Amino acid sequence: MLQASSRALRNASFIRGNVSVNGLGRSAASLRWAHNTAPVGLAFEEIPAKDPSPDSKFPGPLVIVHGLFGSKQNWRSLAKRFHQTLHAPIYSLDLRNHGQSPHNEVMDYTSLANDIIEFCKEKSLKNINLLGHSLGGKAVMAAALSPDLPPEVLSKLIVVDMSPARGPISDEFKTYLKAMKEIEHKRVKSRKEADDVLQAYEPDVSVRQFLLTNLDRAPTGATPHQKFRIPLDILDKGIDGIGDFPYEPDHRKWEGKTLFVKGSKSKYINRRNIPIAKEYFPNMEMITLEAGHWVHAEQPVEFVNRVSEFILQP
């Protein structure tokens, strides 16, 4: 999605990496449609703490998890803004089957949560502020509720325009998958041709630009047509499960401070599922920004300010 930019923010340095987990790769054994598979190593970008001296006082690290069809690169501008505000380390992750992270046919929230938890363990992160949008919002909620989460890891939880309620996924996301499959089927050779195909499915140019960030770089001799780096067949197979959630509120709760950020024009958080969210997260609060589902992209300055205020609260 469209991200805010500022010349002052361009000086923040990123460290890119990938956490290895027990040497897992994209072997046939890791591509079984089953629950509770071992975690995959997530690709990430890191902005180190602004002042790493022992006397520095800043909040714990901020870990950012994108939504469906997103990636860490969509959050790069906002990560820099958060770094300027919080002076804390910022980690932006690619979920499995997104960005530069490994592909795996398992796409349930227990597995997504385990990937995030394993990342935090690998990086020895403690007292983190965990932020997730949309699909990433459900993933971070599942991580907070997971019995496998070490108690010292999570300090505060931020959920952006998503609730833990179960329900069918919005038809628009299935439509986007259909459009991306058509782009590959037509073997288009340029981003312009890919955008022409998308226009029949999505009139909003910012949404089309967001989806097209998933295209690989310019075609090569071996692959002379445009191809998406995300595994469309795997996502298509698991799309209905994205509306699910692995826990019941009478079985799992997280008592820590939690912020829900709602877009005023979005229905993902509504009067029917807010009580459900309160059952899982009794110490929650909610703010509403004038935006649709992509709150952070539509209101980047207010979003960073309000979330930072929440993180900096004692």
Side-chain angles (χ1 to χ4, degrees):
M1 294 299 294
L2 298 177
Q3 301 289 343
S5 62
S6 170
R7 184 175 300 173
L9 300 179
R10 293 174 189 165
N11 296 324
S13 60
F14 283 94
I15 297 174
R16 295 177 177 84
N18 188 285
V19 175
S20 62
V21 183
N22 298 328
L24 288 178
R26 298 188 192 182
S27 64
S30 70
L31 293 177
R32 286 196 288 261
W33 186 260
H35 294 280
N36 300 321
T37 58
V40 303
L42 299 181
F44 68 94
E45 289 181 345
E46 175 190 0
I47 310 180
K50 197 167 186 181
D51 181 3
S53 68
D55 296 330
S56 300
K57 292 185 179 180
F58 46 73
L62 173 62
V63 178
I64 300 172
V65 184
H66 61 79
L68 185 61
F69 306 135
S71 71
K72 60 186 181 303
Q73 80 176 64
N74 305 131
W75 284 82
R76 194 168 289 157
S77 294
L78 289 182
K80 292 177 183 178
R81 284 188 178 274
F82 275 121
H83 186 253
Q84 291 286 335
T85 303
L86 301 173
H87 309 302
I90 312 293
Y91 296 89
S92 303
L93 310 184
D94 279 341
L95 290 172
R96 60 172 62 193
N97 298 322
H98 290 78
Q100 296 174 316
S101 283
H103 298 174
N104 191 298
E105 288 198 10
V106 181
M107 270 293 289
D108 60 73
Y109 285 108
T110 300
S111 298
L112 296 179
N114 286 342
D115 292 345
I116 296 168
I117 293 170
E118 191 65 29
F119 173 84
C120 294
K121 290 179 180 178
E122 287 275 335
K123 300 293 288 183
S124 300
L125 300 182
K126 296 181 179 179
N127 300 315
I128 71 168
N129 301 285
L130 183 58
L131 182 157
H133 169 250
S134 194
L135 169 76
K138 271 198 169 179
V140 301
M141 285 187 279
L145 296 168
S146 171
D148 296 322
L149 177 73
E152 71 276 6
V153 168
L154 184 58
S155 175
K156 294 182 180 179
L157 183 69
I158 302 102
V159 181
V160 185
D161 211 57
M162 183 51 60
S163 86
R166 294 186 178 99
I169 189 171
S170 173
D171 287 340
E172 64 185 317
F173 292 104
K174 295 182 179 181
T175 300
Y176 297 154
L177 264 177
K178 181 180 178 181
M180 289 187 280
K181 282 190 165 187
E182 182 177 338
I183 288 170
E184 287 198 347
H185 178 72
K186 289 188 173 181
R187 302 172 71 87
V188 302
K189 295 184 177 180
S190 69
R191 186 173 291 261
K192 172 64 169 62
E193 290 179 53
D195 185 62
D196 289 342
V197 174
L198 269 182
Q199 286 186 45
Y201 295 89
E202 174 53 61
D204 189 330
V205 63
S206 64
V207 175
R208 298 201 307 272
Q209 289 174 344
F210 163 69
L211 294 172
L212 292 176
T213 61
N214 288 294
L215 283 173
D216 267 333
R217 295 180 183 271
T220 63
T223 308
H225 56 276
Q226 294 282 338
K227 184 174 177 59
F228 288 94
R229 69 173 63 91
I230 56 176
L232 300 180
D233 288 341
I234 292 176
L235 292 174
D236 193 24
K237 188 185 297 184
I239 193 76
D240 289 329
I242 289 174
D244 202 359
F245 197 65
Y247 301 112
E248 299 289 345
D250 55 345
H251 292 159
R252 302 294 302 174
K253 297 182 189 298
W254 191 69
E255 304 279 353
K257 291 185 177 180
T258 303
L259 176 68
F260 281 80
V261 183
K262 171 179 167 53
S264 61
K265 303 171 187 175
S266 171
K267 297 179 180 179
Y268 282 93
I269 298 177
N270 56 61
R271 59 182 177 82
R272 291 183 299 277
N273 58 40
I274 291 173
I276 298 173
K278 288 181 177 178
E279 289 187 64
Y280 286 104
F281 306 101
N283 198 15
M284 65 164 279
E285 58 185 270
M286 189 177 77
I287 60 173
T288 302
L289 303 187
E290 187 66 24
H293 182 52
W294 283 277
V295 187
H296 55 289
E298 296 176 42
Q299 296 289 352
V301 175
E302 186 177 7
F303 177 80
V304 170
N305 289 342
R306 297 293 295 275
V307 171
S308 296
E309 287 173 6
F310 171 76
I311 291 173
L312 293 170
Q313 289 174 3

